[in-house]
Amino acid sequence: MKHPRDPDAVDIGAHLSDPGSSLHKLFARAGQLGAIQAALAQWAGEPLASSLNIANERDGTLVIYAASAAALTQVRFQQQELIHFLRQRLGLNITKIETKISPPASGG
């Protein structure tokens, strides 16, 4: 049995295609962070790439979580090269990289 549609309901596709909608902005943001993650993996190569995750990018600062202190140190040591790479590859206006150790996974 097909349920009648609420007259005030809006199709999710309408939200996705509306640049002003929160859902559209969320998907665009996720896509941008995904592109940065892919570029980071290409720049770092394995095994370092699997130890790094993009946490955020805002106001010219890229926040990267590293799985270990060794991975964190490598990124810190080469952060200017990474900034240059991301500017060239993605056109990002990054001026600073903030690195942190990944928070522990919550068990439960």
Side-chain angles (χ1 to χ4, degrees):
M1 176 177 176
K2 191 173 182 179
H3 293 282
R5 197 170 201 184
D6 182 339
D8 293 328
V10 177
D11 187 79
I12 193 166
H15 283 293
L16 287 173
S17 61
D18 176 10
S21 79
S22 298
L23 193 55
H24 178 84
K25 291 175 187 175
L26 178 66
F27 273 91
R29 180 76 171 151
Q32 179 190 30
L33 293 176
I36 296 170
Q37 182 70 43
L40 174 66
Q42 183 180 13
W43 173 82
E46 289 299 338
L48 180 58
S50 60
S51 298
L52 304 174
N53 288 300
I54 299 300
N56 198 7
E57 183 275 319
R58 180 178 49 223
D59 300 328
T61 300
L62 182 64
V63 180
I64 300 174
Y65 281 144
S68 68
L72 182 128
T73 300
Q74 284 185 290
V75 173
R76 283 184 178 166
F77 183 70
Q78 298 178 19
Q79 69 181 338
Q80 290 306 314
E81 291 88 352
L82 177 55
I83 288 170
H84 179 73
F85 178 81
L86 292 172
R87 283 179 177 169
Q88 294 293 330
R89 174 68 50 148
L90 301 174
L92 296 176
N93 188 24
I94 293 175
T95 57
K96 178 179 163 188
I97 294 179
E98 201 176 292
T99 52
K100 301 177 180 189
I101 295 291
S102 297
S106 59

